[in-house]
Amino acid sequence: MHSAEREEMILKLVRANGFISFKDLDQRLRVSPATVRRDLGRMEDGGLLVRVHGGAKAVNTAAPEDVGHLSGVPFHVNIARNPQAKAAIGKAAAQLCREGEAVIIDGGSTTLQMCPHLEQLGLQVLTNSLHIVSALLPQPRTRISLPAGTVFREQNIVLSPLDDDGSGQFHASKMFLGAAAVGPFGLLQADVLLLQAESRLMERADELILLADSSKFEAPTGHLLCPLGDIDTVVTDRRISSQTRRMFRDAGVKVIVAD
């Protein structure tokens, strides 16, 4: 594939998703990481995109420092959606943890439901969610770490556009994360800043576990966080369709259905 063809593909992906990761470009373009970086540098010099940590974003996407709030559904609205399914998913996900593990729990209304079931495990938890911090504080055996950054009140989450947010020294056996939506292309989020922060956390974990109720598989839209194949396990509810099960199976993702 010639450089002009690669640039055309990169531009289509960035414009369609708002953001594209280096990892995704490596897989799609089938060229070396150095070639991908040269392509992005040339395109940035031409004003076609903006390079950011972990990939590139569209030029019409607001810079993190200009963003006063996050796109997407506010936490206080999202927490009231499908509460029974989310509670069951959170409990099932907590059962995947082993005593004394270091884990990352990404902010979200479903990942929050893990917290009541972690008290006896003595985990070391890195989280970007103040809701999760609040839920874990009464657990004396649970050690809690936070990355540096700015608090976004809609989600009560800490995010940073900087590479060094303090999480670089943390290594987790598992990361539990949510998504705004999930489709054949992968996990989607509503806000580009979330992509940057979550990509950094995902690099710190050996195993990625998605927590998503079945409503997240309907009409997926948003910015691509990662391909389905990057996820090891998905924990969902009994309303998952056979078509969605097949989608995960074809991507090599283990499916756990919460009771």
Side-chain angles (χ1 to χ4, degrees):
M1 184 182 296
H2 296 297
S3 60
E5 295 175 298
R6 293 197 303 271
E7 287 188 12
E8 183 180 1
M9 179 179 289
I10 292 169
L11 197 57
K12 285 181 179 178
L13 291 169
V14 170
R15 286 176 173 171
N17 299 296
F19 172 86
I20 190 73
S21 69
F22 288 133
K23 184 186 297 185
D24 198 22
L25 286 174
D26 287 344
Q27 293 175 346
R28 290 173 181 266
L29 299 177
R30 299 187 182 277
V31 294
S32 70
T35 299
V36 172
R37 282 169 171 77
R38 282 195 298 269
D39 288 345
L40 295 182
R42 189 168 57 251
M43 295 177 73
E44 183 177 45
D45 291 341
L48 298 175
L49 51 75
V50 178
R51 287 191 296 178
V52 295
H53 176 80
K57 69 184 183 70
V59 292
N60 61 345
T61 301
E65 59 269 23
D66 296 330
V67 178
H69 61 276
L70 295 177
S71 303
V73 181
F75 188 90
H76 71 275
V77 175
N78 208 20
I79 193 68
R81 295 180 173 178
N82 305 314
Q84 292 181 329
K86 290 178 179 179
I89 292 168
K91 182 178 181 180
Q95 293 172 355
L96 301 177
C97 296
R98 299 293 174 260
E99 187 164 358
E101 271 189 316
V103 301
I104 299 171
I105 304 179
D106 191 33
S109 59
T110 309
T111 52
L112 177 64
Q113 304 305 315
M114 295 177 62
C115 296
H117 310 287
L118 301 178
E119 186 168 3
Q120 303 303 318
L121 295 177
L123 300 180
Q124 183 175 347
V125 177
L126 173 66
T127 183
N128 54 11
S129 166
L130 298 184
H131 287 296
I132 290 175
V133 170
S134 180
L136 295 177
L137 275 176
Q139 303 179 11
R141 296 190 61 205
T142 304
R143 291 168 291 169
I144 309 165
S145 299
L146 274 167
T150 301
V151 175
F152 287 78
R153 289 178 174 84
E154 296 91 339
Q155 305 293 346
N156 221 7
I157 197 171
V158 179
L159 300 174
S160 172
L162 305 176
D163 290 348
D164 185 10
D165 63 359
S167 64
Q169 302 304 313
F170 192 93
H171 183 81
S173 54
K174 299 180 179 76
M175 177 176 174
F176 298 89
L177 69 159
V182 184
F185 291 110
L187 276 61
L188 305 168
Q189 286 292 14
D191 196 281
V192 174
L193 185 54
L194 281 172
L195 300 182
Q196 294 174 256
E198 289 185 333
S199 295
R200 282 197 297 273
L201 293 178
M202 291 165 70
E203 293 171 358
R204 313 311 308 164
D206 294 330
E207 183 179 353
L208 300 178
I209 301 173
L210 171 67
L211 278 59
D213 68 82
S214 54
S215 69
K216 298 294 180 69
F217 311 138
E218 301 168 1
T221 59
H223 303 295
L224 183 66
L225 172 61
C226 70
L228 276 185
D230 286 0
I231 300 300
D232 297 285
T233 303
V234 58
V235 186
T236 187
D237 61 71
R238 290 181 293 178
R239 292 177 296 174
I240 182 174
S241 68
S242 57
Q243 180 180 0
T244 303
R245 279 179 180 266
R246 186 164 54 250
M247 176 185 75
F248 283 118
R249 183 192 63 206
D250 292 345
V253 180
K254 178 182 178 181
V255 177
I256 296 176
V257 177
D259 187 359

